[in-house]
Amino acid sequence: MSGAPVNTPRITTLENGVTVITDAMGHLATASLGIWAGAGSRDEVSNEHGISHLLEHMAFKGTRRRSARAIAEEIEAVGGDINAATSVEHTSYHARVLAEDVPLAVDVLADILTEPAFDPEELARERNVIVQEIGAALDTPDDLVFDLFQERAFPGQPVGRSILGTPASVKSFRPDDLRTYLDRNYRAERMIVAGAGAIDHDRLVEEAGRRLATLPRGDKPAAVAAEYKGGVEIGDGRELEQAHVLIGLEGLSYRDPGIHALQVFTNILGGGMSSRLFQEVREKRGLCYAVYAFHWSYGDTGLFGVYAGTDAGDLGELVNVVVDEIGATAETITEAELNRSKAQAKVGLLTALESSGARADQLARQMLAFGRPIPLEEIIAKVEAVTLEDARAAGRRLIAGGKAGARPTFTALGPQKPLESAARFAERLGSG
């Protein structure tokens, strides 16, 4: 594609199985780098709900060589920043620094993963911090409704549980619990060191080889397979200015050959201001301020959904319109919509490559998912190859999944009676 970056990432596998991957971006003076573990909330056993996220927090609370304050001060003394993130299938620890400070960043990141102190007093404080974080999420309905959605789609399964855990589960964890989870899941073969920007591959390999040599070898246990169920979950009837609604169906794994067609379909349905849902629900009918479609992919499944926030009095009409638009889009996508969705996808891909942090994250996730970096040209070719019939078929396949036995997923927060009526309308999505 004209104007696209053409850098070829460099890859080295360390003696213990850790993969180092870099993409040098010569016009930058800073480097983004991090350590990604192929383990997240779905790798928790029944008594570990929320421990992945707690471990991420505790990584910054001191090591055998550094206090919590020293970790922050050493990175910020050179103008850098350090952070971490937990998801369903991955956890990342990352920093951004000047090129000459990459060895320091590697040392700090490796230190927090190989020599964590898990001091009981620090743990007690951080457990309380996360309980406060859970409380904040419970007070944020447009966040909470997504947790309900995931849980209702995959009930009683690690992939369906909230990443934060519950106050009771978080308060129960002790230092030995963290060490058990860390030793079981943070295995060298599922660890990626990724860097982008002003990064020297050979130097990063040298530093990572020295700092991460003690990581245990061997793969982590396989995560529990996901089984989509669906159903209805209406929240606690709290008094809200708006009702927050999610309607969804089982989606596709990122390994499924139909993933690009489904992403194109999702974008046409609700991916921007020109999308079907935005134009019909907001612009034409004025039923809400926010409405959009999304698709989350995992290693063995996916979850498609539509979110909207609206007044209780408009709920029935809104849900009916959303269900109708999903079905109509699967049958009537136009060439103009197809081309527009492809263009949006390509711009999104290119935009990610313009950020060193996004590029490092992309490379690490590709290595964990596919065992190789996916060239931009390959991804764009697959997007370009999606035909009009492919996009329509992706929508029909999505809807047909509900007809095959699994119910649609409907979750909502707001006044009970209007939501119960809206849930019955949503059932049409799985009944033809």
Side-chain angles (χ1 to χ4, degrees):
M1 181 175 179
S2 178
V6 294
N7 291 351
T8 299
R10 294 186 61 188
I11 306 170
T12 299
T13 301
L14 303 181
E15 288 186 7
N16 63 350
V18 172
T19 297
V20 180
I21 182 168
T22 63
D23 188 359
M25 303 165 74
H27 61 289
L28 298 182
T30 61
S32 295
L33 68 152
I35 303 172
W36 278 255
S41 60
R42 73 176 302 179
D43 293 286
E44 298 165 354
V45 298
S46 59
N47 64 341
E48 292 178 334
H49 184 194
I51 201 168
S52 306
H53 179 248
L54 176 60
L55 176 62
E56 172 224 310
H57 275 239
M58 286 303 298
F60 299 100
K61 296 304 172 183
T63 71
R64 289 183 175 84
R65 292 193 287 132
R66 292 178 171 93
S67 66
R69 183 167 183 168
I71 291 170
E73 287 183 344
E74 286 189 41
I75 291 292
E76 293 185 359
V78 297
D81 60 74
I82 189 168
N83 212 328
T86 306
S87 69
V88 173
E89 295 185 327
H90 312 109
T91 308
S92 62
Y93 305 83
H94 45 89
R96 186 166 185 175
V97 293
L98 292 171
E100 58 265 31
D101 296 314
V102 165
L104 170 65
V106 175
D107 184 43
V108 172
L109 291 170
D111 193 25
I112 64 179
L113 292 180
T114 61
E115 298 289 340
F118 296 147
D119 177 77
E121 292 185 4
E122 289 283 3
L123 177 57
R125 281 191 288 269
E126 205 58 29
R127 287 198 307 254
N128 190 60
V129 168
I130 293 177
V131 168
Q132 301 305 315
E133 186 178 357
I134 294 169
L138 293 174
D139 284 341
T140 311
D142 48 348
D143 287 343
L144 176 59
V145 73
F146 279 88
D147 283 343
L148 295 176
F149 183 66
Q150 185 92 0
E151 184 177 357
R152 185 64 264 168
F154 303 102
Q157 304 167 58
V159 73
R161 295 196 298 246
S162 70
I163 291 172
L164 296 181
T166 67
S169 66
V170 171
K171 289 178 181 178
S172 73
F173 296 133
R174 299 294 180 264
D176 284 348
D177 300 317
L178 291 167
R179 292 189 182 93
T180 296
Y181 176 87
L182 180 68
D183 292 344
R184 186 178 77 241
N185 291 295
Y186 280 47
R187 294 291 178 138
E189 281 83 348
R190 293 291 290 168
M191 304 289 284
I192 309 294
V193 177
I199 198 85
D200 182 309
H201 180 83
D202 293 331
R203 190 176 187 188
L204 183 60
V205 167
E206 180 184 352
E207 295 291 340
R210 181 165 59 250
R211 307 297 184 189
L212 298 174
T214 60
L215 282 175
R217 299 203 63 161
D219 208 350
K220 69 179 184 65
V224 175
E227 184 180 3
Y228 175 87
K229 295 288 188 181
V232 174
E233 182 76 26
I234 295 175
D236 53 16
R238 63 184 64 187
E239 292 295 325
L240 298 173
E241 290 296 320
Q242 281 198 317
H244 298 268
V245 177
L246 277 162
I247 306 167
L249 295 161
E250 183 176 18
L252 300 179
S253 162
Y254 49 70
R255 296 189 176 97
D256 193 291
I259 187 64
H260 296 288
L262 180 55
Q263 295 289 16
V264 167
F265 169 85
T266 302
N267 200 46
I268 291 169
L269 177 67
M273 293 175 63
S274 64
S275 69
R276 294 275 186 107
L277 288 176
F278 192 93
Q279 288 297 313
E280 183 67 25
V281 178
R282 173 175 160 154
E283 298 297 274
K284 181 178 178 180
R285 298 175 184 256
L287 293 175
C288 65
Y289 174 74
V291 60
Y292 57 87
F294 59 91
H295 180 260
W296 300 332
S297 286
Y298 304 114
D300 56 351
T301 189
L303 187 56
F304 164 88
V306 173
Y307 165 83
T310 189
D311 293 331
D314 291 325
L315 266 173
E317 182 181 0
L318 182 143
V319 172
N320 267 322
V321 173
V322 168
V323 171
D324 288 344
E325 281 299 320
I326 293 172
T329 303
E331 301 298 334
T332 63
I333 292 172
T334 67
E335 286 284 357
E337 288 175 318
L338 179 71
N339 293 333
R340 186 162 58 239
S341 181
K342 289 180 179 181
Q344 289 173 310
K346 287 183 283 187
V347 169
L349 289 167
L350 290 169
T351 299
L353 295 182
E354 293 172 356
S355 161
S356 61
R359 180 59 172 154
D361 183 70
Q362 181 188 66
L363 289 171
R365 289 174 180 269
Q366 288 175 345
M367 291 300 299
L368 287 169
F370 305 108
R372 67 184 181 96
I374 310 300
L376 176 67
E377 296 80 8
E378 181 179 332
I379 301 174
I380 289 178
K382 289 180 178 179
V383 172
E384 288 284 16
V386 175
T387 66
L388 194 62
E389 181 51 36
D390 290 336
R392 291 175 178 175
R396 290 194 292 265
R397 177 184 177 186
L398 183 73
I399 298 168
K403 295 177 185 176
R407 303 169 63 193
T409 300
F410 178 90
T411 62
L413 290 171
Q416 295 285 299
K417 288 186 178 179
L419 290 176
E420 290 169 0
S421 298
R424 289 193 290 271
F425 297 141
E427 289 287 342
R428 290 196 299 115
L429 188 57
S431 60

